Amino acid sequence: MSKAKTSSRRDVTARVLAAILGGYALAYAATAFLSVYLPLVRSDRVVFASLSCFAVYTLAILYAFAARSALQAWLVLIGATVLMALAAYLPGDFGVRP
């Protein structure tokens, strides 16, 4: 009984950390990604990207608690964060940096 309770606490703690830290990282990467690739004027891109990061953060939090396991939540959040960050920061052809 106590072992299951401990693993449940670990799972909840891992999900909370994934929601807070992983969600924040994903929102940051999404903001950078959108501020580079949206087909708008630069100032509009930055405003839209900054405002949409709140929706991305909320969705990341919801996903962290809806995922099958805490490990899956971490992997998906980290994977999406890395992909968006690489797409935002690697190409220098556009002359635009987030």
Side-chain angles (χ1 to χ4, degrees):
M1 177 80 178
S2 66
K3 187 173 184 178
K5 193 173 184 178
T6 303
S7 102
S8 177
R9 284 184 183 168
R10 244 185 240 155
D11 187 57
V12 170
T13 302
R15 286 177 189 267
V16 167
L17 289 175
I20 294 171
L21 301 175
Y24 183 81
L26 181 64
Y28 177 79
T31 302
F33 179 81
L34 291 174
S35 67
V36 170
Y37 290 107
L38 281 176
L40 299 171
V41 178
R42 182 182 172 109
S43 59
D44 292 341
R45 267 191 322 228
V46 172
V47 169
F48 185 82
S50 299
L51 291 177
S52 66
C53 80
F54 293 108
V56 171
Y57 198 18
T58 303
L59 290 175
I61 290 170
L62 290 175
Y63 179 74
F65 289 100
R68 287 187 181 187
S69 68
L71 179 64
Q72 183 183 9
W74 271 108
L75 291 176
V76 169
L77 291 175
I78 289 173
T81 300
V82 168
L83 286 177
M84 280 198 253
L86 286 176
Y89 287 104
L90 281 183
D93 297 341
F94 296 110
V96 177
R97 283 289 178 207

